[in-house]
């Protein structure tokens, strides 16, 4: 952690600022799109009693009503009226919104972890709280009535919860065996170092969860693709998640069993014979699966308000006008895909995190391994020939 905390503070700060910007882009897009239309109010529209929309007698948080034309309308406490897969609002610090509920849980769990660390000096709770926070963050969504939660949110919530419980439980059991993590002993000796550790853990919680968190903001029953295509993408994401979860679980169990049977030796059995860190590989795959599960719901509908109004060109229009119109159209398309694009921060961050750990740029794990197994000729050959994360086939 020292390398990350000391050498990449600006990197962490940039990610935090990026997350804050994510939270405000929807509101800006809605108001900007509205301002580009004549006679359109910047305020959320009140329920209409026209022939097109069946107005409810009262507004109820989470109530979904169908229009006569077949579109799904969401009457909620945060946005009075929104079309499914339209602008996805993230109200600032509205804790009735699942996005902020999850982030609030991340804050609370890391504060609790920090307080336990500075008062007890124990290492037992580090992974239990740090990783268990992912499972806790899904509770608000899982406790909602099923009919009020979109299918992609249900599946991805269960996926995050199962992984968080599984990994936190395993790491806690392992911690009870070793008691102290040698990689973190120096860092956790001071209050400042302990605070930095839990700050990094919080950043990991939030950035890793970006695809899931942003997916929760779209409560529409269908994604951008619609119907069977959405279902196929969702199932593909679930399959990739299951593959990654299986790889990570098997890798952890293989190494744990090997270490018990062969104390003092490095693990090169099973998946560890084709990758030095197959558990990292499984983690990357499963989180990419969660990204795919939410992908169709991370793109706004083409009918949503654009960022720029594009005026249709006429015959004889100048090249400059054509270029400006094309540029605006491209920016509008990217704007509607902004949440999907921002969600790619998650796998990129995880890759940077794992590769830094594997190469020793972030922690002293490589140094510790070299001090333990450096005199073993087999270990030297293993390091030289076996890939760090992705196997060679």
């Amino acid at each position: 952690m020292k390398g990350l905390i000391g050498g990449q503070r600006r990197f962490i700060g940039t990610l935090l600022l990026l997350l804050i910007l994510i939270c405000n882009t929807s509101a800006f897009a809605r108001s900007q799109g509205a301002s580009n239309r004549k006679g359109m109010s910047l305020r959320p529209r009140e329920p209409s009693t026209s022939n097109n929309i069946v107005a409810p007698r009262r507004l109820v948080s989470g109530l979904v009503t169908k229009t006569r034309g077949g579109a799904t309308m969401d009457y909620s406490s945060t946005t009075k009226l929104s079309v499914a897969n339209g602008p996805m609002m993230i109200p600032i610090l509205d804790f009735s919104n699942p996005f902020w509920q999850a982030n609030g849980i991340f804050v609370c769990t890391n504060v609790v972890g920090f307080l336990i660390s500075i008062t007890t000096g124990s290492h037992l709770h580090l992974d239990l709280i740090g990783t268990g926070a992912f499972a806790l963050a899904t509770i608000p969504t899982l406790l909602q009535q099923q009919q009020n939660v979109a299918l992609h949110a249900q599946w991805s919530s269960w996926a995050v919860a199962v992984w968080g419980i599984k990994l936190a439980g395993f790491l806690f059991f392992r911690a009870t065996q070793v008691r102290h993590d040698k990689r973190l002993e120096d860092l956790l000796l001071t209050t400042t170092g302990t605070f930095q550790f839990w700050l990094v853990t919080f950043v990991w919680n939030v950035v890793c969860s970006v695809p899931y968190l942003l997916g929760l903001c779209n409560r529409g029953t269908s994604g951008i693709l619609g119907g069977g295509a959405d279902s196929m993408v969702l199932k593909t994401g679930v399959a990739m998640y299951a593959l990654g979860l299986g790889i990570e679980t098997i890798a952890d169990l293989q190494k744990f069993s090997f270490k018990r049977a062969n104390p003092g030796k490095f693990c090169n059995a099973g998946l560890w014979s084709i990758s030095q860190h197959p558990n990292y590989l499984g983690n990357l795959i499963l989180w990419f699966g969660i990204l795919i599960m939410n992908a169709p719901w991370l793109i706004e509908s083409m009918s949503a308000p654009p960022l720029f109004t594009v005026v249709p060109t006429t015959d004889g229009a100048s090249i400059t006008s054509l270029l400006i119109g094309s540029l605006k159209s491209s920016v509008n398309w990217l704007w509607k895909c902004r949440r999907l694009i921002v969600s790619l921060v998650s796998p990129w961050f995880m890759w940077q995190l794992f590769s830094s750990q594997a190469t020793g740029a972030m922690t002293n794990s490589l140094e510790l391994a070299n001090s333990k197994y450096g005199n073993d000729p087999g270990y030297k050959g293993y390091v030289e020939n076996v890939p760090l994360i992705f196997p060679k086939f």
Side-chain angles (χ1 to χ4, degrees):
M1 289 293 177
K2 289 181 179 179
L4 178 62
I5 292 167
Q8 300 182 3
R9 286 180 179 174
R10 291 183 181 178
F11 168 70
I12 297 172
T14 301
L15 291 176
L16 288 172
L17 290 174
L18 180 61
L19 187 64
I20 294 171
L21 290 174
I22 295 169
C23 302
N24 292 281
T25 50
S26 288
F28 175 74
R30 192 181 183 93
S31 62
Q32 183 73 11
S35 66
N36 287 332
R37 288 169 168 74
K38 269 190 172 182
M40 183 176 288
S41 172
L42 292 178
R43 296 175 299 171
R45 293 179 294 174
E46 296 295 332
S48 170
T49 55
S50 68
N51 292 331
N52 294 327
I53 299 177
V54 180
R57 294 182 180 178
R58 59 185 179 133
L59 291 175
V60 181
S61 177
L63 178 64
V64 176
T65 305
K66 286 190 176 180
T67 67
R68 293 180 182 176
T72 302
M73 314 304 287
D74 181 10
Y75 296 87
S76 67
S77 60
T78 55
T79 52
K80 295 226 174 165
L81 186 63
S82 62
V83 182
N85 202 32
M88 297 173 284
M89 298 291 286
I90 310 178
I92 297 177
L93 295 179
D94 180 355
F95 287 99
S96 65
N97 185 281
F99 178 90
W100 287 113
Q101 289 173 349
N103 279 288
I105 290 172
F106 285 144
V107 171
C108 292
T109 52
N110 283 282
V111 168
V112 170
F114 169 72
L115 294 175
I116 294 175
S117 292
I118 62 174
T119 55
T120 67
S122 173
H123 288 195
L124 292 178
H125 65 293
L126 300 181
D127 290 310
L128 179 64
I129 293 179
T131 306
F134 288 98
L136 294 175
T138 66
I139 291 177
T141 300
L142 294 176
L143 289 181
Q144 292 184 44
Q145 294 184 355
Q146 189 172 352
Q147 62 268 27
N148 293 334
V149 182
L151 189 61
H152 74 281
Q154 295 178 35
W155 284 34
S156 55
S157 293
W158 279 113
V160 174
V162 168
W163 169 76
I165 293 171
K166 185 271 302 183
L167 187 57
F170 171 75
L171 294 176
F172 177 69
F173 174 74
R174 190 181 68 178
T176 61
Q177 308 298 306
V178 298
R179 310 300 296 181
H180 270 67
D181 191 335
K182 293 182 179 180
R183 300 168 299 176
L184 302 173
E185 282 184 345
D186 293 339
L187 180 65
L188 297 178
L189 284 177
T190 64
T191 301
T192 301
T194 302
F195 174 79
Q196 291 173 337
F197 169 81
W198 286 105
L199 175 62
V200 171
T201 302
F202 169 73
V203 172
W204 170 56
N205 290 152
V206 175
V207 176
C208 183
S209 303
V210 163
Y212 167 66
L213 295 176
L214 293 181
L216 292 179
C217 296
N218 190 340
R219 302 180 183 182
T221 55
S222 63
I224 188 66
L225 301 176
D230 284 337
S231 178
M232 182 62 66
V233 172
L234 183 60
K235 291 176 181 178
T236 301
V238 171
M240 181 169 288
Y241 164 83
L243 174 64
L245 185 69
I247 292 174
E248 182 188 61
T249 303
I250 292 171
D252 286 337
L253 291 177
Q254 285 179 341
K255 186 172 184 178
F256 185 78
S257 300
F258 182 90
K259 288 292 187 179
R260 276 197 158 185
N262 305 276
K265 294 185 178 180
F266 71 95
C267 180
N268 60 351
L271 295 176
W272 298 85
S273 64
I274 58 175
S275 170
Q276 294 184 38
H277 301 279
N279 53 337
Y280 293 170
L281 173 65
N283 197 292
L284 286 168
I285 293 174
L286 74 87
W287 274 104
F288 200 77
I290 292 172
L291 170 60
I292 292 177
M293 283 186 215
N294 291 279
W297 288 267
L298 294 172
I299 304 174
E300 289 186 356
S301 169
M302 294 299 106
S303 61
L307 186 62
F308 297 107
T309 298
V310 180
V311 179
T313 56
T314 57
D315 294 337
S318 66
I319 295 178
T320 302
S321 299
L322 292 173
L323 289 176
I324 291 175
S326 177
L327 179 61
K328 285 184 176 180
S329 297
S330 299
V331 171
N332 285 339
W333 184 83
L334 290 174
W335 182 255
K336 293 179 187 297
C337 297
R338 66 193 180 280
R339 281 188 175 76
L340 179 61
I341 296 170
V342 170
S343 293
L344 295 175
V345 169
S346 175
W348 173 78
F349 176 80
M350 297 300 290
W351 169 251
Q352 293 296 322
L353 182 70
F354 290 147
S355 59
S356 296
Q357 290 178 333
T359 58
M362 181 180 297
T363 67
N364 62 347
S365 56
L366 188 61
E367 182 182 342
L368 291 172
N370 288 333
S371 64
K372 289 175 65 176
Y373 314 120
N375 295 326
D376 186 340
Y379 176 72
K380 293 181 179 179
Y382 176 80
V383 172
E384 291 175 358
N385 299 315
V386 178
L388 281 175
I389 297 177
F390 288 96
K392 293 179 181 179
F393 298 104

